[in-house]
Amino acid sequence: MKLSREKAASELFAALYPRLAGWCRRLVDDDGTAHEIASEAFTRLWARWTSVEEPRGFLYVTAANLVRDHWRKMERERRAMHRVTSEAAARPHPEQADPSVRLLVQSLPERLRVPILLHYYADMPIREVSALTGRKEGTVKADLHAARELLRVHLRRSLDHTP
């Protein structure tokens, strides 16, 4: 039994790791960090192997949470650097100076952020996002629409305030 469990995990790793790591790479812009996140997602899956019904969904949701944690850490570091260097150049609204889509996606509530990450960044169809998140397809579509509208408003506001 243990051998078949390890074989199944090994096959899943071989099939999904490259795509998961690539997805993470597009989100964090760093190969090392992307591989760390993908590996950690697999480690967490392995720890819960017997209780996870949908391993692929578990991996992507776990990786999305780890990416979010990474973004938060990077934002904390960015703020700390800004505080250290603020004596040299003071900016009244630093968050408005960077209309980066990644930062805007990061700022979305989790209910909207996860479907955006899965659908647009992991190229999953709405049906699959629905299955992975446990939401109806219509709800996923509505969440995607709401997220796009929020992103559009924030991006427009950011661009309007750029000097």
Side-chain angles (χ1 to χ4, degrees):
M1 175 108 180
K2 184 177 180 178
L3 188 59
S4 66
R5 176 181 177 233
E6 289 178 6
K7 185 176 191 283
S10 178
E11 289 173 358
L12 182 74
F13 183 85
L16 295 182
Y17 183 84
R19 185 169 180 194
L20 181 66
W23 178 68
C24 292
R25 170 66 176 88
R26 288 192 306 272
L27 294 172
V28 299
D29 279 340
D30 179 69
D31 285 332
T33 302
H35 285 284
E36 285 176 23
I37 289 171
S39 296
E40 178 63 21
F42 271 96
T43 300
R44 291 182 185 190
L45 173 63
W46 181 250
R48 295 166 184 80
W49 184 253
T50 57
S51 64
V52 174
E53 291 184 32
E54 177 51 54
R56 183 172 188 250
F58 180 90
L59 287 169
Y60 274 91
V61 170
T62 300
N65 289 333
L66 292 169
V67 165
R68 181 196 63 224
D69 293 345
H70 172 75
W71 284 347
R72 285 179 178 164
K73 177 184 173 199
M74 297 305 291
E75 180 61 20
R76 285 190 304 270
E77 289 175 3
R78 187 192 67 74
R79 281 194 214 131
M81 285 300 293
H82 184 274
R83 280 193 299 271
V84 168
T85 60
S86 65
E87 298 166 2
R91 294 175 104 175
H93 300 290
E95 68 278 357
Q96 291 179 351
D98 184 4
S100 162
V101 173
R102 179 173 302 131
L103 291 175
L104 295 175
V105 169
Q106 177 184 355
S107 72
L108 290 172
E110 184 170 357
R111 176 183 67 84
L112 301 177
R113 184 178 56 248
V114 170
I116 287 285
L117 291 174
L118 294 175
H119 184 65
Y120 291 108
Y121 288 88
D123 297 323
M124 291 185 186
I126 289 174
R127 177 176 292 129
E128 198 168 340
V129 173
S130 170
L132 294 176
T133 59
R135 299 180 192 146
K136 294 179 180 178
E137 287 185 38
T139 303
V140 170
K141 290 177 184 178
D143 287 347
L144 289 170
H145 175 75
R148 285 190 306 268
E149 287 303 310
L150 276 173
L151 292 171
R152 186 178 352 264
V153 167
H154 288 298
L155 186 59
R156 187 171 291 130
R157 189 178 308 137
S158 294
L159 293 175
D160 288 347
H161 289 93
T162 302

